[in-house]
Amino acid sequence: MTLQTVHVPLGDRAYDVRIGTDLICRAGAEIAPLLRRKHVAVITEDRVAGLHLGALEAGLAASGITSSTLSLPPGETTKNWEGLSRAVEWLLTERFERSDVVIALGGGVIGDLVGFASAVTRRGLRFVQIPTSLLAQVDSSVGGKTGINTSHGKNLVGAFHQPSLVLADVDLLDTLTKRDFLAGYGEVVKYGLLGSLGFFEWLEKNAVAMAMGDAGLRAEAVRSSVQMKADIVVRDETEQGDRALLNLGHTFCHALEAATGYSDRLLHGEGVAIGCALAFEVSARAGLCSQEDPSRVRAHLSKMGMKTDLADIRGDLPDADGLLDLMGQDKKVIDGAIRYIMVRGIGQAFVTSDVPSALVREVLGDALKAR
Ligand code: GLY
């Protein structure tokens, strides 16, 4: 398969996202032009290391590049002050310098943590993202948001620090569980819903075969998603405006993740899918989009075998007021008003604070009653 490239034109921080198969095997050739000395830092986590570290080391060695590796425990809890401190102290102990490159090999947790460690170590090392989950390939590895969680919430400490290169090898997706793949698909479908009816229609036609493992379709879905993200990030790198569109479904999602204790009752991408369906429902009831749109969105998510409604989340949930309260903790809140991403139709999202709480409460209440 030919490699595809999405260029992210951010001036002196511009970089390429390379998408295709067998990329990890040619990581050395891809990364070599960035290096001053042929030695790199690799930071990963134990599960991913067991699956992909050998292939990466061989791919680097093929271009004469050696590496030192730090492997951290898997899971969201690594993305905290302790994980950051371990990564930074290790980079300093290993004497990585400003001219060196750090490789983040893993999903969103590793990408965010290593990106932040790279941003603050010696006031900034360059880093390369090799995302191993679908969610990381289409969203978190691109755009430069890095950070960690604190006891106050997720991603509250961090920095914008763009990678120097992203290698999205779709072969790596073969090792994901079906549930993790579909959770990542929540972020893929989000791009169609927020910005491109054409892409959503393409997904309606091709996403089942893509989920079954078709590498060409996977590469095309990743390329389209990354291109849409790059276009938005270039317009608004630090989220002063349009970048918030990438958070379609996320205000509902963050409340649901908090309500389920950030546990495996609800994965982030599953919450995004349910959140998108809720955003369409609120938009339809507000008269912003047609009544058919929410049903079409739900029909596609259900056909993919995804969680679509609050009824698909097992265990207790707070009532509608409790969920609204959790939504009020969102980072997008300004002067106490929740900023919603609403839609005028599939592919036509916009940001507004002008959504009556009573309407959101009604939609949540109805969704809870259907459980
Ligand atoms: N994941 C949303 C963003 O990068 O802005």
Side-chain angles (χ1 to χ4, degrees):
M1 179 193 298
T2 50
L3 287 180
Q4 315 207 52
T5 302
V6 174
H7 183 62
V8 188
L10 284 169
D12 59 0
R13 286 160 293 106
Y15 56 96
D16 285 341
V17 182
R18 307 272 280 151
I19 300 148
T21 52
D22 269 342
L23 257 171
I24 201 161
C25 303
R26 41 174 290 117
E30 296 286 338
I31 291 168
L34 300 173
L35 303 183
R36 217 169 87 185
R37 63 168 172 149
K38 288 197 155 190
H39 186 66
V40 293
V42 177
I43 304 182
T44 185
E45 47 101 323
D46 298 342
R47 208 173 33 196
V48 167
L51 293 167
H52 306 303
L53 183 60
L56 175 60
E57 285 171 345
L60 293 169
S63 292
I65 301 169
T66 55
S67 56
S68 304
T69 298
L70 171 68
S71 186
L72 296 166
E76 188 76 28
T77 49
T78 290
K79 207 178 110 175
N80 60 10
W81 289 110
E82 193 195 328
L84 177 70
S85 153
R86 278 190 66 185
V88 170
E89 292 290 341
W90 177 79
L91 287 167
L92 295 172
T93 305
E94 294 285 320
R95 302 207 174 253
F96 282 101
E97 299 174 0
R98 264 202 181 161
S99 56
D100 288 323
V101 165
V102 184
I103 297 176
L105 174 70
V109 165
I110 284 296
D112 286 4
L113 173 73
V114 176
F116 190 38
S118 305
V120 296
T121 303
R122 300 193 199 277
R123 295 211 178 91
L125 304 179
R126 291 169 301 151
F127 80 114
V128 171
Q129 293 266 23
I130 304 188
T132 56
S133 68
L134 180 59
L135 186 139
Q137 292 194 353
V138 298
D139 185 35
S140 57
S141 67
V142 179
K145 277 190 182 174
T146 71
I148 57 168
N149 307 325
T150 80
S151 57
H152 295 275
K154 282 180 80 175
N155 299 324
L156 290 179
V157 173
F160 287 98
H161 184 53
Q162 299 293 342
S164 298
L165 177 70
V166 181
L167 301 178
D169 183 339
V170 294
D171 285 341
L172 307 189
L173 305 178
D174 292 345
T175 57
L176 297 178
T177 62
K178 185 171 177 218
R179 186 178 180 197
D180 281 331
F181 184 89
L182 287 180
Y185 183 72
E187 296 280 2
V188 175
V189 79
K190 174 196 80 175
Y191 288 104
L193 297 177
L194 75 89
S196 172
L197 175 59
F199 183 49
F200 181 74
E201 286 173 341
W202 185 89
L203 291 170
E204 284 183 317
K205 199 160 143 240
N206 293 300
V208 170
M210 185 191 78
M212 301 283 283
D214 185 308
L217 293 175
R218 286 180 173 189
E220 183 48 29
V222 173
R223 190 202 61 77
S224 297
S225 302
V226 168
Q227 184 66 63
M228 275 186 261
K229 177 152 190 183
D231 291 345
I232 291 176
V233 167
V234 166
R235 288 206 301 275
D236 178 22
E237 186 180 359
T238 56
E239 201 166 312
Q240 308 301 313
D242 269 10
R243 186 163 180 166
L245 296 174
L246 294 171
N247 290 324
L248 176 63
H250 282 61
T251 307
F252 292 105
C253 169
H254 291 154
L256 294 171
E257 282 184 288
T260 50
Y262 302 98
S263 67
D264 79 345
R265 280 175 64 198
L266 186 74
L267 303 180
H268 175 72
E270 294 172 337
V272 170
I274 295 172
C276 286
L278 287 167
F280 269 80
E281 188 62 42
V282 174
S283 300
R285 290 203 204 176
L288 294 165
C289 70
S290 89
Q291 299 292 331
E292 285 75 48
D293 284 340
S295 319
R296 185 171 171 187
V297 172
R298 279 206 198 87
H300 177 62
L301 298 175
S302 304
K303 184 173 154 200
M304 294 300 293
M306 296 172 72
K307 291 188 172 57
T308 309
D309 293 298
L310 298 190
D312 298 323
I313 304 173
R314 66 185 160 74
D316 291 339
L317 284 179
D319 63 12
D321 280 320
L323 287 174
L324 255 178
D325 194 46
L326 290 170
M327 288 167 71
Q329 308 279 6
D330 194 84
K331 281 202 286 304
K332 288 188 297 302
V333 171
I334 294 183
D335 292 338
I338 299 176
R339 283 194 305 153
Y340 288 93
I341 318 300
M342 292 285 111
V343 288
R344 296 196 176 88
I346 292 176
Q348 298 175 60
F350 64 103
V351 186
T352 178
S353 296
D354 196 14
V355 177
S357 298
L359 178 60
V360 180
R361 189 179 294 111
E362 178 192 297
V363 167
L364 290 171
D366 290 350
L368 287 164
K369 264 189 242 145
R371 279 163 57 85

